[in-house]
Amino acid sequence: MDCPWNELSLAFSRTSMFPFFDIAHYLVSVMALKHQPGAAAMAWKNPLSSWFTAMLHCFGGGILSCVLLAEPPLRFLANSTNILLASSVWYFVFFCPRDLVSQGYSFLPVQLLAVGMKEVTRTWKIVGGVTHANSYYKNGWIVMIAIGWARGAGGSIITNFEQLVKGCWKPEADEWLKMSDPAKVTLLGSVIFTFQQTNHLAISRHNLMFLYTMFLVATKITMMITETAVMPFAFFEDTLSRMLFGWQQLFSSCEKRSETKSSLSGTGSSTSKPIADASDKVHKKHTKKTE
């Protein structure tokens, strides 16, 4: 008989994302779009453009993974049920009378519930991306990591193209140049699930899915409650970055310190010589007067 922990994690890994978890993912994604400057006005002025942008936010990970694997980018349109569901969420968020959806989403418990459910879907997307890439490239762990990361965090990456088309793209906000915390934690999860897929990590998939999802949910909820934008492992990230990539800066700083010390000692010795010469002259004048 299996232990309760194994049964719990196995039942959790078999949970269907449709429809409730998918609705939470669409709601959080569309609300993030609505909070962008000018998004509400654009929805009233050009609903088709707003709808297309919302679909990029909702299905950006699938689109990017299809592009990387040379598959049809518009394959997500084949799932008409999810398209209708995401379109319904977009319509009610932007065009609901008296903005009731946005007002209801403004309550913190509702946001915590929706964001927690969205993080659950992130785990499923990473696992699906890693498994899908493994079916094309057996044990090609670099491809598996890339597709898992694209499937889990591709929404924030593919929207850069949409911002570039609209002319509001900013280089300092580019996900490739400055990765956000969700992109970093998704990359970490993609690496972990790739190691598990290639049998380099001695843990069952359902247990890993449960542990990683609990980590995502707990981290996100804690950051929202405490209103902090720093991930819990930011300290480890900085330490690892200094250990792996900070040696050149350390050596250059040590060289600069030694150069400044040598220059200071050189200037000190050069200034001491005129002082010694002046003292000798004063001493000679004093002896002449005494004589």
Side-chain angles (χ1 to χ4, degrees), residues 46-196:
N46 193 346
L48 183 60
S49 176
S50 176
W51 173 84
F52 181 73
T53 304
M55 296 303 104
L56 287 180
H57 280 260
C58 295
F59 304 100
I63 297 173
L64 183 59
S65 62
C66 289
V67 171
L68 294 177
L69 290 175
E71 296 179 347
L74 298 181
R75 196 179 65 175
F76 73 98
L77 293 174
N79 193 340
S80 57
T81 304
N82 281 12
I83 293 296
L84 291 175
L85 188 60
S87 301
S88 301
V89 173
W90 163 80
Y91 180 81
F92 285 111
V93 166
F94 280 96
F95 302 103
C96 183
R98 297 185 179 180
D99 205 13
L100 294 178
V101 176
S102 298
Q103 293 181 9
Y105 186 80
S106 63
F107 291 102
L108 183 60
V110 177
Q111 294 183 24
L112 295 178
L113 178 62
V115 169
M117 296 175 69
K118 175 182 170 59
E119 295 303 318
V120 175
T121 63
R122 188 186 302 275
T123 303
W124 263 248
K125 291 178 182 179
I126 295 173
V127 175
V130 170
T131 306
H132 186 61
N134 188 47
S135 63
Y136 279 90
Y137 304 93
K138 190 67 176 180
N139 293 331
W141 57 275
I142 295 181
V143 180
M144 295 164 65
I145 291 174
I147 300 303
W149 179 58
R151 186 75 67 88
S156 58
I157 299 173
I158 201 69
T159 51
N160 288 327
F161 172 75
E162 172 260 335
Q163 294 175 1
L164 180 63
V165 172
K166 293 194 301 183
C168 59
W169 176 75
K170 297 180 180 180
E172 61 272 11
D174 196 337
E175 196 71 27
W176 296 101
L177 302 178
K178 186 178 180 181
M179 291 178 60
S180 60
D181 291 330
K184 292 178 181 178
V185 75
T186 303
L187 180 60
L188 175 64
S190 182
V191 172
I192 293 175
F193 283 105
T194 298
F195 286 166
Q196 192 277 331

